[in-house]
Structures are given as C-alpha cells and as structure tokens.
Amino acid sequence: MSYVFYKVMHLTGIMMTMTALGAAILQTMNSGENRFPHKKLVGLLHGFGLLLALVGGFGLIARLGLDFHGWLWLKSLIWLILGAIITLIYKKRQWGLPLWLGLIAIGGFAAWLANTKPF
C-alpha cells in the first residue's frame, strides 16, 4: 500500500474516533444518561476509528522506515487514552465539558507530535 493510502486511513480513523467521542459527550451532557438510541453506532464508530488510526499509523511508520522513538511512544499512549476515555464519558457525565476540551488539547498535541517528531 502507498503512503497516501495509509495517511488517508489514519486521518479517517482519527476523524471517526473524535466524532464518536464528541457525540457521546454531547449526548451524555444533554440527556444526563449514558443510554441513548445511537449508543451502539457511536461505539462502532469509536472502535472502528481506533482500528483504522492504528493500522494507518503503523503503515505510515513502516512506509517512512521510522524507528520507535519517544514521540511514537507518546502517540501510542494517546491512542490508549482515546480508547479508554469513552468509559469516563459514560461514567462521569458531569465531566463532559472538561473531557471535551481535553480531547481538543490531546488532538492538538498529537498533531504537533506527528509534525515535529521532537524526540
């Protein structure tokens, strides 16, 4: 597969994951419940988005011939956080706004890591 293929896969996965997390936050903030009609769809988008982001990211690493340096370990940690944070969204609905703002900060930090590769 080409570099562009893996890049599009990675970015599509990130968009799916962030969209699903935003939808879950909005729903729990608005309804006050963690049960809503499209919860299964949100879960599918979240999980499949994480999978696409992971496969696309490792495809990019292989295509670019990169070694696993510190910034890649941080990106892997961010991936784990994005996978686990949906549990916090459903369990701690009162944390909706801080989690939402935190997701924006995490996304910005991940983008900075990918573009600068600081260490």
Side-chain angles (χ1 to χ4, degrees), residues 25 28-29 85 87-89 91-102:
I25 288 172
T28 56
M29 284 174 59
I85 203 164
T87 303
L88 271 179
I89 292 168
K91 299 283 183 195
K92 301 287 185 181
R93 9 180 228 272
Q94 67 274 18
W95 294 2
L97 185 59
L99 286 173
W100 204 1
L101 297 174

Side-chain angles (χ1 to χ4, degrees), residues 26-94:
L26 277 178
Q27 184 60 42
T28 56
M29 284 174 59
N30 287 333
S31 73
E33 298 178 11
N34 67 359
R35 304 178 98 206
F36 50 94
H38 302 293
K39 186 175 180 180
K40 191 175 282 191
L41 176 61
V42 169
L44 286 170
L45 278 174
H46 180 249
F48 193 60
L50 285 170
L51 178 65
L52 286 178
L54 183 70
V55 172
F58 277 107
L60 288 171
I61 292 167
R63 271 295 181 205
L64 294 173
L66 298 174
D67 292 328
F68 229 77
H69 293 290
W71 69 274
L72 284 170
W73 285 107
L74 281 175
K75 292 271 287 184
S76 299
L77 178 63
I78 289 169
W79 183 84
L80 287 172
I81 291 168
L82 290 177
I85 203 164
I86 199 157
T87 303
L88 271 179
I89 292 168
Y90 291 139
K91 299 283 183 195
K92 301 287 185 181
R93 9 180 228 272
Q94 67 274 18

